[in-house]
Amino acid sequence: MTSTPEKFDAWDIKESGPADAGARVLLLPGGMCGTVFYDDLMAAPPLASAPVRLVAATLPGHAGTTPPRDLSIENYAAMAGALAAERGCGVVVGHSMGANVALEMVAGGHFAGPVVLLSPTFSASDEDRALAIANGLGRVPGIGALTWIGMVKATPRVVGQMLPPARREVLGADLAKNDPEFCRQMIRRYFDYLDRYGTLVARLRDSGAPAWVVRGDRDEVGLKDEERAGLEASPNVTMVPVPDAGHIVMVDQPEAVAALVAQVALG
């Protein structure tokens, strides 16, 4: 765990929008995902036609990219905060684990906000059951490595069922790039982070950063009633439901999410 950014210069980055745009947004994909998961959002008319520069950056180590030394969410948040400052990004959008990194960026003082959190996880018990089981098995000597070899092999097919048919092949190929041992270690640190805080609702509220929590109406990751109530009562948090969308909300409904991001970016 660290509160200062690890020096890292191997980010996998994809950019779009006017190079001289005053508004700049950092996009952080979810766990095991690369920047390709933001292609639909970046091409959606509300953003493609807006004076906004989009900087999509794969979380290091994910989708086969170079990993950092420290895989804690706190270190990812510190590194992403440094990247946001370097690229002049005034808004951060994160999806899934990327949303948790964005949450920790404001909670840990690495970014002043605002943040748009797409399908974040607020506690370990909310997470997908299969992922929680894989994390538990991944800690068992002898079978942990084998579990994650199978998990990475199955992920493109499993996640593909959540995706629009036209996007399954490309996004599945991106997921297949992941290294099983990296995923085993990374998911362990991710659950350690969730266990460390119990629930992240107060952590987001107490950051004071303007935050939009975006969830599809059929999101596979849970949100307990008390967590929802706590978020709705937080003066700096706005809940945004998205109809006809699952966990990968920016692929299911890119225009709706793009309209929100453009609104936040342009004030």
Side-chain angles (χ1 to χ4, degrees):
M1 232 173 35
T2 183
S3 60
T4 56
E6 173 182 328
K7 184 173 174 55
F8 191 86
D9 59 5
W11 287 91
D12 171 57
I13 291 174
K14 179 186 295 182
E15 299 188 55
S16 69
D20 60 351
R24 291 173 170 262
V25 179
L26 178 62
L27 306 173
L28 301 176
M32 302 177 70
C33 302
T35 60
V36 68
F37 275 78
Y38 275 118
D39 281 357
D40 300 272
L41 179 75
M42 297 170 86
L47 278 174
S49 61
V52 178
R53 184 70 169 174
L54 301 172
V55 181
T58 303
L59 295 177
H62 297 247
T65 58
T66 302
R69 294 186 302 275
D70 180 353
L71 302 184
S72 69
I73 296 297
E74 289 87 350
N75 186 51
Y76 274 113
M79 292 195 305
L83 179 65
E86 176 189 315
R87 296 299 178 113
C89 296
V91 176
V92 175
V93 178
H95 170 246
S96 193
M97 187 181 293
N100 282 85
V101 171
L103 189 160
E104 186 57 29
M105 287 171 71
V106 293
H110 306 293
F111 185 75
V115 291
V116 179
L117 309 178
L118 310 177
S119 303
T121 299
F122 286 95
S123 60
S125 59
D126 290 336
E127 254 302 350
D128 179 79
R129 181 167 174 76
L131 188 64
I133 291 172
N135 175 57
L137 291 174
R139 297 171 186 250
V140 179
I143 67 170
L146 293 175
T147 296
W148 274 98
I149 289 172
M151 187 73 172
V152 169
K153 187 175 295 187
T155 294
R157 175 180 54 80
V158 173
V159 175
Q161 297 171 2
M162 307 177 188
L163 298 168
R167 299 295 286 143
R168 288 175 185 170
E169 184 175 352
V170 170
L171 298 182
D174 192 63
L175 291 167
K177 297 176 183 177
N178 281 282
D179 174 70
E181 182 57 25
F182 164 78
C183 291
R184 181 167 78 104
Q185 298 297 334
M186 172 267 297
I187 290 296
R188 176 182 296 187
R189 303 301 186 279
Y190 169 64
F191 273 94
D192 287 347
Y193 169 76
L194 294 174
D195 290 338
R196 187 152 48 247
Y197 296 106
T199 177
L200 300 174
V201 172
R203 194 157 176 78
L204 178 61
R205 179 197 66 216
D206 294 346
S207 74
W212 286 258
V213 175
V214 182
R215 287 175 53 85
D217 59 357
R218 47 183 172 81
D219 197 331
E220 293 82 1
V221 169
L223 181 67
K224 291 190 282 293
D225 290 343
E226 59 267 30
E227 291 172 334
R228 183 181 296 277
L231 292 167
E232 290 174 344
S234 300
N236 57 311
V237 177
T238 301
M239 299 294 290
V240 182
V242 179
D244 194 25
H247 184 63
I248 312 177
V249 59
M250 72 287 190
V251 175
D252 288 333
Q253 297 295 340
E255 290 202 21
V257 178
L260 173 64
V261 174
Q263 175 188 335
V264 174
L266 297 173

